[in-house]
Amino acid sequence: MRGAGGCWKRLRLRGRRRSSAAFLLAWAACWLGLSASLLALLRRGAFPGRCTDESGRSILARLCLDYSSGVLTGDLCEDLCVAQKLVYKHCLYYDRGKKVIQADWRGQPIILKSKQEIFSSYQHLSMLEEVETQDITETELLLMAALEVKNVLGLELSNNTMGPLWTRRKGPHWKAQVASMWSLLQQEEYIFFSLLQDFSKHVLRIIGSCGHFYAVEYLTAGHAWHKTLFPLEDMAGPSLTGHRSRVRAIIDIALSFLDMVQHFDNDFSHRLHLCDIKPENFAIRHDLTVVAIDVDMAFFEPKMRDILEQNCTGDDDCNFFDCFSKCNLKIRKCGAQRANNNLQVICDKIFRRWFSPSLGGPLVSFPLQPQLQKAVQECAEPGRVDAAAHQRPLKSLSKLYHLLRVSQRELLRAE
């Protein structure tokens, strides 16, 4: 912002000497110059999160060059690089190496994702150079994959549960297949989505991959500025434009959020913690199922404990985004146990917007509105970490389930 500061300084000097008309002209000239500079920066994608079509197309062109050279492979490479059945549409996100690109695959919108732009940026598997690739057994590869999962997610997995992560079989391009799969295994989101494909309807469905890029289903993310947080009209068309239909849809989505909370808490070998809960990290399928679409800040219990157990001088040092712990001042160490929970944060950051009054009143009017407001308020309040701590979210979950289902029935009776 030095340009703006210099502009303002010159304007102040000129403003003392010249008429107000001349001052306004100089002010306009300065801001026109600054606007032109900002526009140039935006076009070059200089700000975090921005991605130009030029850079997006260049990334995929580089990917196809590596494919044609035999460096990498994948089940979508042929459609992307040869048959032209996977077509670039837009570059959605480009920041700190992470790339997110919208594409069209055989008439179906998809998202291509990678943690790094260039294939060579990923750690190379040295074993590929030390021995003949065909001599590496699938058992050895599965063991390496299991070790990588333990390193990334903190989970101990047996070889027979690694199937979704290692789907390739030996063939003429085995070295490229191994190198490509190894680049994917260095991406936490890919591992997360792959492992949960057959176990959870609340995560993105993986469609395929090419080198270090993997494709997932396309869903429209929520946004805090959206009146209902999620674009209901994109899910079921005009049928959700009426007030009663919107109310019914929000209740269904809220129930799906509760299903997801219960599922992530109880249905895996370890509890899954969501440490960045906001509308932008979720999407809604056409059947109104909630889907976690960004899990960079999702951690299973073993990894969560490692993250929380840090040195501290107060409770503020024990906050990791939406996951909080408490500081033990005697040993100056954060507790490994999370003090809040997924449901509490969802109540605070999602449900409050729907069910609690604001300065402008509730977003929409619901059956049992006062009871829902009170239940959401109680759910969102932080509690003490004690022997009864695990009972509070269960009571809140049960109460919210009950109120939302009664609201559903009342809406049906009113039709």
Side-chain angles (χ1 to χ4, degrees):
M1 295 299 290
R2 279 188 294 181
C7 240
W8 184 242
K9 189 175 179 181
R10 289 195 298 274
L11 287 171
R12 289 175 63 192
L13 289 171
R14 290 175 184 173
R16 291 176 189 148
R17 300 172 189 156
R18 299 184 181 182
S19 67
S20 58
F23 175 76
L24 287 172
L25 284 172
W27 181 87
C30 278
W31 282 106
L32 281 172
L34 283 170
S35 298
S37 300
L38 287 169
L39 186 59
L41 285 169
L42 288 170
R43 282 174 176 165
R44 291 200 300 268
F47 291 107
R50 286 197 59 84
C51 184
T52 64
D53 282 338
E54 181 183 3
S55 61
R57 293 181 190 279
S58 175
I59 290 168
L60 295 188
R62 176 72 176 264
L63 182 69
C64 287
L65 183 63
D66 285 342
Y67 172 64
S68 63
S69 303
V71 175
L72 56 81
T73 189
D75 50 6
L76 293 180
C77 288
E78 192 73 10
D79 279 355
L80 173 66
C81 304
V82 181
Q84 302 295 307
K85 293 179 181 177
L86 198 164
V87 182
Y88 171 90
K89 289 296 181 183
H90 305 290
C91 198
L92 301 178
Y93 189 84
Y94 187 114
D95 187 25
R96 293 189 295 275
K98 186 175 181 178
K99 307 295 174 288
V100 182
I101 293 171
Q102 183 180 341
D104 190 86
W105 179 58
R106 303 188 180 206
Q108 171 189 354
I110 62 168
I111 296 292
L112 293 169
K113 304 181 83 172
S114 176
K115 200 173 180 180
Q116 300 290 341
E117 176 180 340
I118 303 171
F119 184 68
S120 58
S121 299
Y122 288 93
Q123 182 184 1
H124 187 64
L125 187 61
S126 57
M127 182 184 286
L128 290 180
E129 303 300 333
E130 294 170 4
V131 298
E132 285 291 328
T133 313
Q134 294 292 343
D135 293 338
I136 305 174
T137 66
E138 289 184 18
T139 302
E140 289 175 306
L141 291 172
L142 287 171
L143 176 61
M144 288 189 295
L147 290 172
E148 191 66 16
V149 170
K150 183 180 179 182
N151 178 54
V152 172
L153 299 184
L155 295 179
E156 298 268 6
L157 296 179
S158 60
N159 282 6
N160 61 359
T161 62
M162 299 299 295
L165 284 175
W166 203 277
T167 57
R168 306 290 186 263
R169 294 292 178 264
K170 285 191 176 183
H173 306 295
W174 182 236
K175 186 172 183 177
Q177 290 175 2
V178 172
S180 298
M181 288 304 299
W182 192 247
S183 71
L184 293 172
L185 287 173
Q186 292 172 58
Q187 302 182 59
E188 293 91 338
E189 267 199 346
Y190 174 81
I191 294 177
F192 185 96
F193 289 144
S194 295
L195 286 176
L196 301 187
Q197 286 292 285
D198 298 329
F199 303 101
S200 178
K201 63 182 180 181
H202 295 289
V203 298
L204 281 174
R205 181 171 57 87
I206 289 186
I207 294 167
S209 65
C210 179
H212 54 302
F213 273 87
Y214 59 97
V216 296
E217 62 181 312
Y218 175 82
L219 295 172
T220 303
H223 206 290
W225 52 255
H226 199 284
K227 185 177 180 181
T228 55
L229 299 183
F230 299 95
L232 302 182
E233 63 277 3
D234 290 350
M235 298 164 204
S239 62
L240 287 182
T241 55
H243 175 266
R244 186 173 292 172
S245 296
R246 285 200 303 272
V247 170
R248 189 169 61 248
I250 289 173
I251 288 173
D252 288 347
I253 294 168
L255 283 166
S256 186
F257 264 111
L258 297 183
D259 289 342
M260 183 188 72
V261 166
Q262 193 172 37
H263 175 54
F264 286 174
D265 279 356
N266 303 304
D267 291 350
F268 306 127
S269 56
H270 296 284
R271 178 169 295 183
L272 180 61
H273 297 274
L274 305 177
C275 294
D276 190 12
I277 291 174
K278 56 187 178 184
E280 290 82 353
N281 286 345
F282 298 95
I284 314 298
R285 289 199 180 101
H286 288 290
D287 63 358
L288 303 181
T289 298
V290 173
V291 180
I293 62 173
D294 189 327
V295 292
D296 283 339
M297 290 292 174
F299 306 97
F300 286 101
E301 184 73 25
K303 192 80 170 181
M304 186 80 265
R305 296 178 73 86
D306 287 343
I307 291 169
L308 291 175
E309 205 168 21
Q310 305 295 326
N311 295 328
C312 63
T313 57
D315 286 347
D316 286 348
D317 296 330
C318 303
N319 294 350
F320 183 77
F321 295 88
D322 289 328
C323 295
F324 304 157
S325 178
K326 294 289 184 181
C327 181
N328 185 331
L329 293 175
K330 291 181 181 178
I331 60 173
R332 295 185 178 276
K333 199 87 170 176
C334 297
Q337 180 184 350
R338 184 179 172 187
N340 63 347
N341 55 74
N342 292 338
L343 178 61
Q344 183 185 333
V345 184
I346 286 171
C347 283
D348 184 33
K349 293 191 169 184
I350 306 289
F351 286 4
R352 274 191 202 269
R353 286 283 303 276
W354 287 334
F355 305 117
S356 294
S358 62
L359 290 176
L363 289 176
V364 288
S365 178
F366 293 90
L368 306 180
Q369 184 88 39
Q371 296 95 317
L372 279 167
Q373 289 175 9
K374 184 180 178 183
V376 168
Q377 183 67 30
E378 291 173 350
C379 169
E381 287 176 355
R384 298 188 310 275
V385 182
D386 53 30
H390 71 285
Q391 293 295 330
R392 279 189 291 274
L394 292 176
K395 289 179 181 178
S396 290
L397 189 72
S398 177
K399 181 182 283 189
L400 286 167
Y401 261 130
H402 172 71
L403 290 172
L404 289 168
R405 283 171 176 154
V406 171
S407 298
Q408 267 186 332
R409 289 196 292 271
E410 289 199 8
L411 283 170
L412 285 172
R413 278 199 297 267
E415 289 180 353

